[in-house]
Amino acid sequence: MQTTQTAAMAISRRVAGPSLGRRLEANPFTWLVPVAVMLGVFYLYPIIDVFRLGLTNASLVGNEERYTLATIRAMFENPALVDILWTTFLFTFGSVVGQQVFGLAIALLVMRGERRKLPGMVALRTIVLIAWVIPGIANGLIWQMLFSEAPFGAINSVLRLMHISPVAWLSDPNMAMVSAVLSNVWRGTAFSMIVFYAALKAIDPTLYEAASVDGASGTQKLRFITLPQLRAAILVNSILVTIQTLNTFDAIISLTGGGPGRATEVLSLFTFNTVFRNYDLAGGSVLSVLMLAISLVLALVYASFLPRREASE
Amino acid sequence: MMRLRLVTALLASAAAFVAVSAQAQNLVTKDRVGPADAPKSFTLRLTNDGPTSTDPVWAEGYQKLFSEFIQRHPGWRIDLERMSDNIGQEQARMLEQAKSGQGPDCAAVDSFVLALFKGANVLKPLDEYFTKEEVADLFPFIREGITGPDGKIYAWWWNTDLRVLYRNKDIVPDAPKTWDELKAAAIASKDKGMEGVLFNGGRWEGTTFDWLANFWAQGGKLVDDKGKPIFAEGENREKFLKAVNYFKDLVDSGAAPKRVATIVNYDEFNAAAAAGTAALFIGGNWQYGQLKNTLEPEEFEKWTFSEIPGPTPDQRSTGTGGWTFGAFSSDPEKVAMCAAVIKEIYAGPGNALQQQLPTAAALYGKYDVFKTPANETFAKALVNGQARPGVPIYPEISNQIQIMMGDVLSGTKTPEAALDAANTAVQAAFARL
């Protein structure tokens, strides 16, 4: 009798299917919901709100909020925007190229040193990394002291000792941009170095051995083995450094404040000024969306060059 | 037996002293003044000028002042709130909160945004807590700043500062009174190995504020009575260009180094004075004390200050700032306590503690610290004090003046073109307010 009851229960369970708990457990959405909620609340909602604010006349001190396209029009009709975008392009382009070149050079140097078992390679990596962990504001202040055009300014004092004319690092609009790029490259090179160092480690050493057997020179190895093998790393690094540079304003605000004039006022600093100096929340939101769009477009362009896996793989 | 009684009395006194001290300490905590279970309380939002100040001397002084205050007002507790150093953001946020009825009961309001708070009708009148004599004793620009269109006072401006021309007497013996005299003195100082005259010229508020003295000295106005920017119109345009050309001429003639376009900090002047590379600079009154602390006594003796030169000896002005307190509470009792905090802690004792210039003439005679010749001279110069217009468009006007100054001093734009660009940007921003 008992055996019959147990069998009946088992059949009924089979007919009813697994319990709700088991079904939830098996469903991937159950596991994704917490992450989705977190991302939604802390990332997606603010982005949506920025889009919404861009369609209003919202102000930090202002009047009643209403929906309007006038903010978008006002921001895009601002005659300063073209100059700001050009400045942003120069700063970003200079920083991305500089960080890639110096990052790759240091990574190659470290690899070469390690291969030859030279002492101090770990110390070299650590020293380069120190620049990376310095906060942007501190980075700006450090370089402000170095670039100071006062008679006691650090770099100019050294130049004077070498009987070289001092340079108008920050008071000349063109040099101010060079100085801003230099300080940003100094800080960001470590990140590129790490990316390239990891990618260099992953290159199959037999490729270099084969090239050596064929009598390839160092330059040829760099051109025909290292750089093609690093293609994916260079592109990924470009995406990351571009987005990071587009968002940089702390280092500039403490180095030049965006001056002289607007010579170093990049889009992120312009956005900050729009919100916290003009109290123009809506205008700042439009500019933020513009920054987002530029970052996305550039990321997509870079990504289109990424090597793709063959269909057969 | 006698000795035993003496020892007992001493121990009892010591215990009582420790208990009272501990009680005074406990009365002021990081976020509260007074007993936690006090029946009545109000919120007080402060800057660095309070019991939680990062300056240990100020913190200790305010802890004592607040402790004594709360003992004079039993049954009350003050809930302290602290603003960050990002004052612009903090004040904008507080205005939003006050407008929605969520603001603190009493708070420090930066003088240059006070008009925004007055315009938003979020401040409660304080007339009944201050006598007519006390109000009349305030410097004119202070009285004007705190008075609303209805004639009532809506805040109490308790400290102020001003800009002056510092000079090394060994190199520049006589105080330059006019723009031409300053240029000549600066060029002459270069012959003695100095940099010439230094002033703020980079992208920050100090550039606008310090330069505006030259515009105001001619009677120039940035905005009209309704807050509309008019600095590029009619006579104001001429005065504005004259003041811009004056700075441009200082740089072009070599009276000021080109690097002024990069100066974004008053500390640069202290550094130049300490390094012995500058004999003239336009700085704030607080720098006198900083120079005293930085320089060797014999070097400090060489430094003095005078009013900022004007286009003529009679046309003088100086930018003045400072902090006010305002009450946001709808509860009259809390407004009264806010006024009591101002009167008993800040207006007078607070000035003396922080050595910040009082806003009423009477206080200069009341505290020894303000009887020094230097502070008496500062007080006299305050007569020509001019506050920044407290209108919503001011931050953008300031931003555009900074951009204009950079463009003009670096030779990127002519003063006329730079002024037109600044005006276009300001008018566009004004239209969006």
Side-chain angles (χ1 to χ4, degrees), chain B residues 105-330:
Chain B
D105 296 317
C106 181
V109 180
D110 197 339
S111 60
F112 95 97
V113 290
L114 181 60
L116 296 182
F117 284 78
K118 284 195 297 181
N121 296 318
V122 291
L123 293 165
K124 298 293 179 281
L126 297 173
D127 297 74
E128 62 179 289
Y129 309 105
F130 295 92
T131 64
K132 282 185 178 168
E133 290 73 30
E134 284 172 328
V135 176
D137 196 36
L138 294 170
F139 294 116
F141 73 93
I142 299 280
R143 204 164 46 239
E144 194 184 314
I146 61 172
T147 307
D150 56 1
K152 292 180 179 174
I153 59 165
Y154 284 91
W156 192 260
W157 195 327
W158 68 279
N159 75 5
T160 189
D161 51 38
L162 74 157
R163 279 83 193 138
V164 290
L165 175 70
Y166 285 90
R167 72 178 196 279
N168 183 325
K169 287 177 288 186
D170 275 8
I171 295 163
V172 185
D174 301 318
K177 292 186 182 66
T178 63
W179 293 351
D180 290 337
E181 285 179 17
L182 176 60
K183 182 182 166 186
I187 290 173
S189 78
K190 287 187 73 179
D191 297 336
K192 296 175 183 171
M194 299 290 122
E195 279 192 273
V197 61
L198 299 181
F199 50 82
N200 283 302
R203 279 289 297 271
W204 83 298
E205 175 62 19
T207 294
T208 302
F209 200 16
D210 297 358
W211 170 82
L212 275 174
N214 303 298
F215 177 58
W216 285 329
Q218 304 170 71
K221 280 190 180 301
L222 288 176
V223 295
D224 65 12
D225 295 339
K226 291 176 183 167
K228 184 181 181 296
I230 53 165
F231 60 87
E233 295 172 11
E235 282 184 12
N236 287 317
R237 182 182 175 87
E238 286 171 33
K239 291 167 182 170
F240 198 96
L241 284 173
K242 194 174 168 184
V244 177
N245 277 312
Y246 159 52
F247 265 28
K248 178 176 159 52
D249 184 43
L250 287 177
V251 173
D252 289 351
S253 65
K258 279 202 163 59
R259 80 171 180 104
V260 292
T262 70
I263 296 180
V264 290
N265 197 321
Y266 288 101
D267 293 342
E268 290 251 5
F269 310 139
N270 294 340
T277 57
L280 285 161
F281 69 85
I282 293 168
N285 65 289
W286 63 90
Q287 288 186 267
Y288 195 67
Q290 291 176 337
L291 287 176
K292 191 176 181 180
N293 295 333
T294 309
L295 303 177
E296 294 297 325
E298 63 273 16
E299 279 300 309
F300 174 69
E301 280 303 309
K302 294 176 186 171
W303 283 88
T304 187
F305 59 89
S306 55
E307 280 191 78
I308 295 176
T312 66
D314 301 328
Q315 290 179 298
R316 303 293 190 98
S317 182
T318 182
T320 49
W323 281 88
T324 77
F325 270 101
F328 300 106
S329 176
S330 303

Side-chain angles (χ1 to χ4, degrees), chain B residues 69-86:
Chain B
F69 173 85
I70 210 68
Q71 288 175 62
R72 286 195 298 272
H73 298 274
W76 279 95
R77 184 186 77 237
I78 306 173
D79 293 321
L80 296 175
E81 294 175 358
R82 171 75 191 268
M83 289 182 219
S84 72
D85 289 342
N86 196 336

Side-chain angles (χ1 to χ4, degrees), chain A residues 60 62 261 276-278 280, chain B residues 89 96 99 203 395-396 432:
Chain A
L60 284 179
F276 292 109
R277 288 196 176 185
N278 293 8
D280 189 351
Chain B
Q89 244 175 297
E96 278 289 293
K99 278 163 69 180
R203 279 289 297 271
E396 178 58 7
R432 289 193 30 74

Side-chain angles (χ1 to χ4, degrees), chain A residues 60-63 71 74-75 144 149-152 170-171 173 256-262 265 273 276-280 283, chain B residues 89 92 95-96 99 113 116 195 203 258-259 262 264 271-272 275 277 392 395-396 399-400 402-403 406-407 410 412 432-433:
Chain A
L60 284 179
V61 293
N63 319 310
T71 309
M75 288 300 114
Q144 196 189 39
E149 293 170 37
F152 42 85
L170 300 174
S171 63
T256 64
R262 277 205 151 118
E265 188 169 359
N273 287 338
F276 292 109
R277 288 196 176 185
N278 293 8
Y279 306 128
D280 189 351
Chain B
Q89 244 175 297
L95 180 56
E96 278 289 293
K99 278 163 69 180
V113 290
L116 296 182
E195 279 192 273
R203 279 289 297 271
K258 279 202 163 59
R259 80 171 180 104
T262 70
V264 290
T277 57
E396 178 58 7
N399 185 34
Q400 291 300 328
Q402 294 160 35
I403 293 167
D407 284 338
S410 63
T412 310
R432 289 193 30 74
L433 281 175

Side-chain angles (χ1 to χ4, degrees), chain A:
Chain A
M1 182 67 184
Q2 200 176 4
T3 313
T4 317
Q5 271 182 347
T6 312
M9 281 171 69
I11 290 165
S12 75
R13 260 206 304 270
R14 262 204 300 277
V15 170
S19 68
L20 184 65
R22 279 194 181 283
R23 268 188 293 167
L24 284 175
E25 219 172 86
N27 194 329
F29 288 106
T30 310
W31 302 99
L32 289 174
V33 163
V35 178
V37 169
M38 288 291 283
L39 287 175
V41 171
F42 293 107
Y43 289 90
L44 201 57
Y45 171 71
I47 292 173
I48 292 169
D49 206 38
V50 165
F51 274 93
R52 186 190 68 77
L53 284 168
L55 294 168
T56 68
N57 65 338
S59 157
L60 284 179
V61 293
N63 319 310
E64 271 183 34
E65 196 177 299
R66 63 183 167 77
Y67 286 92
T68 173
L69 293 175
T71 309
I72 299 173
R73 203 164 47 240
M75 288 300 114
F76 282 96
E77 283 176 356
N78 188 338
L81 187 62
V82 177
D83 292 340
I84 300 287
L85 289 175
W86 176 244
T87 305
T88 309
F89 167 75
L90 289 178
F91 180 68
T92 308
F93 181 77
S95 297
V96 171
V97 172
Q99 288 180 34
Q100 304 261 32
V101 169
F102 285 107
L104 181 60
I106 296 171
L108 286 169
L109 194 74
V110 172
M111 283 292 289
R112 176 70 65 91
E114 283 181 354
R115 211 175 295 140
R116 296 189 176 191
K117 295 191 168 47
L118 289 179
M121 286 300 109
V122 176
L124 178 67
R125 279 206 315 259
T126 312
I127 289 167
V128 175
L129 278 172
I130 287 172
W132 190 44
V133 298
I134 288 176
I137 293 281
N139 176 61
L141 292 173
I142 290 167
W143 281 95
Q144 196 189 39
M145 282 189 274
L146 292 173
F147 286 137
S148 171
E149 293 170 37
F152 42 85
I155 296 177
N156 277 351
S157 295
V158 174
L159 291 178
R160 277 193 203 93
L161 283 175
M162 296 161 71
H163 302 289
I164 299 171
S165 301
V167 177
W169 295 106
L170 300 174
S171 63
D172 178 87
N174 296 324
M175 276 310 296
M177 174 52 79
V178 173
S179 304
V181 169
L182 268 177
S183 74
N184 198 45
V185 167
W186 178 79
R187 185 176 169 223
T189 292
F191 178 77
S192 300
M193 188 269 282
I194 296 167
V195 172
F196 290 134
Y197 178 71
L200 285 170
K201 283 266 185 194
I203 297 177
D204 188 349
T206 55
L207 293 172
Y208 292 105
E209 286 163 17
S212 298
V213 170
D214 291 343
S217 67
T219 316
Q220 285 171 321
K221 284 181 201 167
L222 178 71
R223 189 177 163 194
F224 296 110
I225 299 175
T226 309
L227 290 180
Q229 290 291 317
L230 288 180
R231 188 178 165 203
I234 291 170
L235 286 166
V236 168
N237 195 36
S238 298
I239 295 172
L240 296 174
V241 172
T242 302
I243 293 170
Q244 197 179 21
T245 307
L246 277 172
N247 287 311
T248 296
F249 85 99
D250 48 359
I252 291 188
I253 205 170
S254 55
L255 179 68
T256 64
R262 277 205 151 118
T264 54
E265 188 169 359
V266 291
L267 188 55
S268 52
L269 181 56
F270 185 52
T271 306
F272 177 86
N273 287 338
T274 302
V275 175
F276 292 109
R277 288 196 176 185
N278 293 8
Y279 306 128
D280 189 351
L281 196 54
S285 299
V286 171
L287 295 172
S288 300
V289 172
L290 179 63
M291 273 173 63
L292 178 69
I294 292 172
S295 296
L296 278 176
V297 168
L298 287 175
L300 288 173
V301 170
Y302 288 137
S304 68
F305 289 104
L306 275 174
R308 296 182 196 290
R309 285 174 186 275
E310 296 296 326
S312 57
E313 277 186 280

